[in-house]
């Protein structure tokens, strides 16, 4: 038999039908929905007079639009409230399980899916949200879709999808101190640009990937979309199985042992051919930061802003427009530049490990006076864990305020907006113009880099706080 | 999904000569709270179109009366970022029927095709030439023939073939709908479910 990639194995086993010269009819195992991209899809069903084909395979949450303070009160913004209510009505009407606002298991869709055991190896997973790629960390084909496609899945549990090409990214070597999975993926994107993987689905391999926890793998897969890839996946291994074994329950799986034996078969064959193969060395990665308005515009934190754009064109108009927006100049260094806001959260870095990392640096220190910090857990479960581990107290004592879960400042649909012209170090995934509020200036970075800035009030190399034994400097 | 047909379009163009125009620029997140598909055109490119105080930004191309047309010509990597179909609804609602660039983000491309907005990929060189021409002469017209898959700058006769998935082409030419197609496959989907194993 011809050797196959993991991507091919999962994809091919989910094709209901291949249309000649057209897309494949792809069967979807798990469908996540949220309040922002689903209402028009439900309207579509109503207009057609049809129901939801397999309601048990769709899971809903409210996350994008919700406040992170006083969640027990009614949402103040009328449109947002209507959207959240519409989701509840639709879920009720069609029998879809909803982890909505104030549900004890509520949270960002890409954080709760894995937590609740709904994301499992070998699945096809879609959601009307581009960061669905996060779930690829479990060895799944997971990708974002538009609302028309949400409607297709609700109506038939299938979508029409052309098969993407395959790319393998291998990362070997040892990571240096102070370098996290966020830095890995920001480094890769800065190397290949914000459109470098468009048309591809990525498989991440190599020893440096194998050594990562599930949380760290999710961060990497999450940002695959920021280089244009439809998604990214990592073959399941012992780390994956350990994570799954520790979950309180896995819906639909009765005998975890024999299921793991099945999951063990999920991997690319040795001689499988990829359309593109890239290799990077983990040892060359430093803590990263972005200086522009797309995630490809990133650099090592102690570097200077390049004087030409990624194509080597001398300061193209798009490149200059982006630097102007940020208030930066080509050739400038960012270390020491003042920061106004720090946001830790989102489906990229809103998991318990991220809050532990942040705590690593703030323990025994105080927040800088010029910093407004938004500390937003990715889910209720993360929020509870933070309390249980004493992190919430630690944060409060250091002058921070821990909010309630949600997407928050990652896309600023709620009140959590960064004001015009202000600089925010953000652990989220997009530094687009106005992403965190009109006129906001986003600098993407890891939780460690965010913590260092929260303490000093300036862009700071987190390695200053961490010594060679990976211990935090007092 | 609205059933939209597309066959031949002759139109002037609106130039947007920036690269990496992301979906947050096309329709900022704070306008995504609506629960219908209509009306997003009002907020298309909102933060470029209006100043901070809410007045029209006269420097932005959509506010420049010399430019009009149903074809948006944009720099490379158009539509990157979020999967929000609202971006396509906004462009369509504003009155565009086609977007021309040298490179589109994947999800945007699918969303556009699913809503009858035709994404046309042309070479970097031709894109540059077209942008310059349109900026010099806003009356520059292009012709898009979906059946023949040709894109032509009428004044110069520059004509290229563009690619489109044959299935999607058929859908657009005939105004067919994906969901009807899938609904007709229910029995195949049922039997797929019955035979499905883990891999
Ligand atoms: S946290 Fe940000 S990126 Fe993630 S789902 Fe929410 S809005 Fe999207």
């Amino acid at each position: 038999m011809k050797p196959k990639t993991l991507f091919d194995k999962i994809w091919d086993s989910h094709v209901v039908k291949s249309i000649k010269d057209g897309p494949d009819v792809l069967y979807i195992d798990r469908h996540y929905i949220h309040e922002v991209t689903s209402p028009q899809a439900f309207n579509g069903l109503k207009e057609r007079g049809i129901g939801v084909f397999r309601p048990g395979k769709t899971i809903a949450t409210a996350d994008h639009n919700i406040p992170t303070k006083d969640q027990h009160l009614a949402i103040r913004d009328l449109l947002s409230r209507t959207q959240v209510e519409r989701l509840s009505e639709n879920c009720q009407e069609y029998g879809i399980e909803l982890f909505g606002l104030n549900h004890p298991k509520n949270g960002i869709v890409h954080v709760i899916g894995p937590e609740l055991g709904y994301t499992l190896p070998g699945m096809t997973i879609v959601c009307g949200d581009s960061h669905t790629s996060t779930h690829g960390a479990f060895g799944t084909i997971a990708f974002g879709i538009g609302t028309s496609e949400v409607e297709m899945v609700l109506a038939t549990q299938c979508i029409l999808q052309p098969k993407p090409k395959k790319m393998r990214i291998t990362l070997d070597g040892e990571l240096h101190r102070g370098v996290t999975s966020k830095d890995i993926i920001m480094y890769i994107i800065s190397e290949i640009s914000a459109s470098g993987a468009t048309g591809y689905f990525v498989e991440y391999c190599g020893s440096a990937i194998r050594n990562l926890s599930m949380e760290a793998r999710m961060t990497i897969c999450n940002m695959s979309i920021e280089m244009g890839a439809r998604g990214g996946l990592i073959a399941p291994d012992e780390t994956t199985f350990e994570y799954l074994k520790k979950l309180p329950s896995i819906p639909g799986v009765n005998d975890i042992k024999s299921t793991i034996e099945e999951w063990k078969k999920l991997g690319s064959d040795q001689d499988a051919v990829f359309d593109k193969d890239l290799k990077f060395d983990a040892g060359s990665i430093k803590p990263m930061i972005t200086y522009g308005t797309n995630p490809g515009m990133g650099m090592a934190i102690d570097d200077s802003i390049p004087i030409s754009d990624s194509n080597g064109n001398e300061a193209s108009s798009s490149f200059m427009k982006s630097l102007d927006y940020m208030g930066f100049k080509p050739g400038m260094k960012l270390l020491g530049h003042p920061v106004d806001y720090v946001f830790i959260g989102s489906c990229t870095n809103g998991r318990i490990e991220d809050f532990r990392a942040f705590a690593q640096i703030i323990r025994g220190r105080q927040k800088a006076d010029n910093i407004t910090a938004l500390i937003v857990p990715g889910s209720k479960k993360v929020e509870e864990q933070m309390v249980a581990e004493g992190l919430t107290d630690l944060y409060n004592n250091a002058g921070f305020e821990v909010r309630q879960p949600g997407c928050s400042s990652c896309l600023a649909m709620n009140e959590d907006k960064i004001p015009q012209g202000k600089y925010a170090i953000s652990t989220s995934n997009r530094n687009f113009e106005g992403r965190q509020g009109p006129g906001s200036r986003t600098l993407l970075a890891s939780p460690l880099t965010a913590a260092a800035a929260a303490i000093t009030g300036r862009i700071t190399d987190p390695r200053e706080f961490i010594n060679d034994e990976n211990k935090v400097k007092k | 999904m609205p059933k939209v047909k597309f066959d031949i379009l002759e139109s002037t163009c609106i130039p947007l000569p920036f690269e990496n125009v992301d979906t947050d620029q096309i329709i900022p997140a704070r306008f995504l709270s609506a629960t219908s598909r209509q009306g997003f055109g009002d907020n298309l490119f909102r933060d470029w179109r209006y100043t901070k105080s809410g007045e029209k930004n006269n420097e932005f191309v959509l506010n420049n009366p010399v430019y009009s047309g149903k074809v948006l010509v944009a720099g490379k990597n158009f539509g990157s970022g979020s999967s929000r179909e609202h971006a396509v609804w906004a462009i369509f609602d504003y009155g565009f029927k086609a977007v021309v660039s040298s490179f589109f983000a994947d999800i945007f491309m699918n969303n556009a095709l699913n809503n009858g907005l035709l994404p046309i990929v042309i070479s970097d060189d031709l894109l540059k030439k077209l942008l310059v021409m349109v900026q010099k002469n806003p009356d520059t017209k292009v012709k898009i023939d979906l059946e023949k898959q040709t894109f032509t700058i009428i004044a110069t006769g520059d004509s290229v073939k563009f690619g489109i998935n044959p299935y999607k082409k058929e859908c657009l030419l005939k105004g067919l709908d994906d969901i009807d197609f899938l609904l007709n496959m229910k029995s195949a989907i049922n039997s797929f479910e019955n035979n499905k194993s883990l891999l």
Side-chain angles (χ1 to χ4, degrees):
Chain A
M1 237 175 25
K2 211 177 137 211
K4 273 183 156 187
T5 67
L6 173 57
F7 176 83
D8 284 322
K9 290 181 190 176
I10 303 177
W11 182 283
D12 295 350
S13 69
H14 285 81
V15 173
V16 176
K17 186 184 165 162
S18 282
I19 302 171
K20 193 173 170 289
D21 295 329
D24 287 337
V25 177
L26 192 71
Y27 189 82
I28 301 303
D29 295 319
R30 181 72 67 214
H31 182 210
Y32 295 117
I33 59 172
H34 62 79
E35 74 278 25
V36 177
T37 55
S38 67
Q40 292 87 352
F42 283 108
N43 292 349
L45 296 185
K46 285 181 189 129
E47 280 159 25
R48 288 169 199 272
I50 54 175
V52 174
F53 181 53
R54 294 285 179 252
K57 291 181 186 280
T58 294
I59 302 291
T61 184
D63 54 1
H64 279 65
N65 202 332
I66 59 174
T68 55
K69 265 184 171 176
D70 296 330
Q71 288 185 345
H72 59 290
L73 302 177
I75 301 178
R76 269 184 292 178
D77 177 67
L78 178 65
L79 281 175
S80 302
R81 190 166 73 226
T82 309
Q83 218 173 38
V84 170
E85 284 169 359
R86 188 61 60 81
L87 179 71
S88 305
E89 290 157 17
N90 283 327
C91 288
Q92 175 109 46
E93 181 174 348
Y94 293 103
I96 291 168
E97 182 149 32
L98 169 66
F99 299 93
L101 191 57
N102 294 316
H103 189 288
K105 292 175 178 167
N106 172 254
I108 303 172
V109 58
H110 311 308
V111 178
I112 66 167
E115 269 176 11
L116 299 174
Y118 287 113
T119 294
L120 298 174
M123 280 184 161
T124 48
I125 299 181
V126 294
C127 172
D129 188 284
S130 57
H131 292 98
T132 308
S133 58
T134 313
H135 307 267
F138 290 81
T140 70
I141 292 185
F143 56 91
I145 56 176
T147 298
S148 298
E149 292 164 323
V150 172
E151 190 179 333
M152 291 180 208
V153 181
L154 290 173
T156 66
Q157 206 56 38
C158 291
I159 54 172
L160 289 161
Q161 212 52 209
K163 192 174 180 181
K165 290 180 281 184
K166 289 141 294 180
M167 180 188 289
R168 175 166 56 194
I169 295 184
T170 310
L171 189 75
D172 285 318
E174 291 275 332
L175 284 180
H176 290 296
R177 68 191 164 94
V179 179
T180 68
S181 64
K182 180 64 165 288
D183 302 300
I184 296 179
I185 189 65
M186 285 178 62
Y187 172 81
I188 295 173
I189 301 168
S190 75
E191 289 287 309
I192 73 172
S193 93
S195 57
T198 303
Y200 291 90
F201 214 96
V202 177
E203 179 173 348
Y204 299 96
C205 316
S207 60
I209 299 290
R210 287 276 148 247
N211 290 336
L212 297 173
S213 68
M214 286 315 291
E215 282 86 352
R217 292 179 189 185
M218 284 189 247
T219 303
I220 293 197
C221 291
N222 173 278
M223 285 189 74
S224 304
I225 180 78
E226 305 310 334
M227 50 191 179
R230 207 54 200 282
L233 55 79
I234 296 172
D237 58 11
E238 281 310 315
T239 307
T240 323
F241 307 141
E242 279 309 307
Y243 177 100
L244 292 168
K245 273 197 258 177
K246 285 201 192 110
L247 295 177
S249 72
I250 301 181
V253 174
N254 301 322
D255 178 5
I256 180 89
K257 272 208 185 122
S258 67
T259 314
I260 287 179
E261 288 312 309
E262 287 299 303
W263 287 336
K264 281 188 179 161
K265 297 176 193 154
L266 291 165
S268 289
D269 296 332
Q270 198 126 59
D271 302 319
V273 182
F274 291 79
D275 299 292
K276 200 165 182 177
D277 236 316
L278 299 176
K279 285 194 168 59
F280 297 98
D281 168 27
S284 357
I285 306 177
K286 293 179 176 178
M288 297 286 293
I289 193 157
T290 57
Y291 54 84
T293 55
N294 72 61
M297 300 175 82
M299 64 180 190
I301 193 158
D302 53 3
D303 254 358
S304 313
I305 296 176
I307 41 179
S308 57
D309 71 10
S310 54
N311 307 326
N313 303 324
E314 204 183 305
S316 70
S317 62
S318 302
F319 183 75
M320 282 314 296
K321 179 172 172 288
S322 173
L323 289 194
D324 280 348
Y325 180 86
M326 293 301 292
F328 296 152
K329 297 253 176 312
M332 194 173 146
K333 277 207 176 273
L334 287 186
L335 278 180
H337 192 283
V339 176
D340 310 291
Y341 281 74
V342 167
F343 169 58
I344 165 152
S346 88
C347 59
T348 313
N349 284 126
R351 296 182 189 80
I352 189 66
E353 264 195 7
D354 302 308
F355 293 97
R356 289 183 193 139
F358 194 79
Q360 225 193 316
I361 286 184
I362 65 167
R363 182 168 282 125
R365 298 192 169 91
Q366 284 294 315
K367 179 182 81 64
D369 289 338
N370 62 316
I371 294 287
T372 307
L374 281 153
I375 312 285
V376 188
S379 69
K380 290 270 192 211
K381 183 163 172 214
V382 173
E383 189 184 29
E384 280 163 24
Q385 246 173 313
M386 286 176 70
V387 173
E389 295 182 16
L391 297 179
T392 304
D393 280 345
L394 177 98
Y395 282 29
N396 288 338
N397 293 338
F400 296 95
E401 177 198 6
V402 179
R403 298 290 189 93
Q404 292 171 297
C407 293
S408 175
S409 208
C410 173
L411 89 166
M413 271 191 84
N414 66 358
E415 297 87 17
D416 304 346
K417 294 183 173 49
I418 310 296
Q420 177 79 33
K422 298 289 183 196
Y423 290 95
I425 292 216
S426 177
T427 66
S428 55
N429 43 50
R430 285 189 175 138
N431 50 349
F432 298 152
E433 280 184 31
R435 169 82 176 179
Q436 298 193 283
S440 60
R441 290 162 160 169
T442 303
L443 304 144
L444 299 176
S446 77
L448 290 177
T449 304
I455 297 300
T456 63
R458 294 171 178 279
I459 297 177
T460 304
D461 192 327
R463 292 170 296 185
E464 284 181 23
F465 289 97
I466 304 172
N467 68 20
D468 285 333
E469 287 84 53
N470 276 334
K471 296 255 170 58
V472 176
K473 278 190 204 164
K474 293 283 173 197
Chain B
M1 193 197 74
K3 296 182 188 180
V4 187
K5 273 195 187 185
F6 195 113
D7 42 20
I8 291 178
L9 174 70
E10 257 190 57
S11 170
T12 48
C13 309
I14 297 192
L16 196 67
F18 308 119
E19 293 176 5
N20 300 312
V21 173
D22 58 73
T23 48
D24 276 77
Q25 306 321 314
I26 300 172
I27 182 89
R30 61 186 191 283
F31 300 113
L32 302 184
S33 301
T35 48
S36 79
R37 286 172 190 251
Q38 282 77 40
F40 286 101
D42 292 345
N43 293 311
L44 174 67
F45 297 119
R46 174 77 198 201
D47 292 337
W48 288 344
R49 226 162 117 194
Y50 296 92
T51 64
K52 286 151 218 161
S53 47
E55 285 132 39
K56 272 192 179 175
N57 170 11
N58 289 324
E59 278 168 28
F60 187 61
V61 66
L62 292 191
N63 296 327
N64 185 341
V66 307
Y67 295 110
S68 64
K70 296 192 170 104
V71 178
L72 181 65
V73 184
K76 147 172 134 192
N77 199 23
F78 185 81
S80 56
S82 123
S83 62
R84 60 185 72 154
E85 199 161 306
H86 313 67
V88 169
W89 300 335
I91 295 173
F92 198 81
D93 192 54
Y94 186 87
F96 290 110
K97 299 276 175 277
V99 190
V100 178
S101 178
S102 59
F103 199 91
F104 290 97
D106 277 341
I107 303 182
F108 180 87
M109 186 99 135
N110 278 351
N111 286 344
L113 288 166
N114 284 340
N115 285 276
L117 177 74
L118 187 62
I120 296 182
V121 181
I122 59 175
S123 71
D124 265 322
D125 288 342
L126 186 61
L127 178 68
K128 272 191 200 129
K129 182 171 173 184
L130 177 62
L131 280 168
V132 171
M133 277 182 73
V134 175
Q135 283 170 303
K136 265 198 201 141
N137 177 9
D139 295 329
T140 304
K141 268 196 173 176
V142 297
K143 179 175 175 184
I144 297 163
D145 185 330
L146 176 59
E147 174 70 54
K148 295 198 184 117
Q149 291 178 233
T150 52
F151 175 81
T152 311
I153 305 176
I154 294 175
T156 62
D158 276 295
S159 189
V160 287
K161 250 194 129 152
F162 61 87
I164 181 170
N165 183 299
Y167 167 84
K168 279 290 170 197
K169 174 176 168 180
E170 183 88 355
C171 288
L172 278 177
L173 285 171
K174 298 191 177 146
L176 301 177
D177 173 275
D178 283 335
I179 295 181
D180 286 341
F181 177 88
L182 287 173
L183 286 170
N184 283 328
M185 282 192 56
K186 276 278 174 72
S187 64
I189 298 171
N190 276 319
S191 57
F192 175 87
E193 283 180 327
N194 293 334
N195 296 323
K196 191 176 171 308
S197 62
L198 182 66
L199 263 192

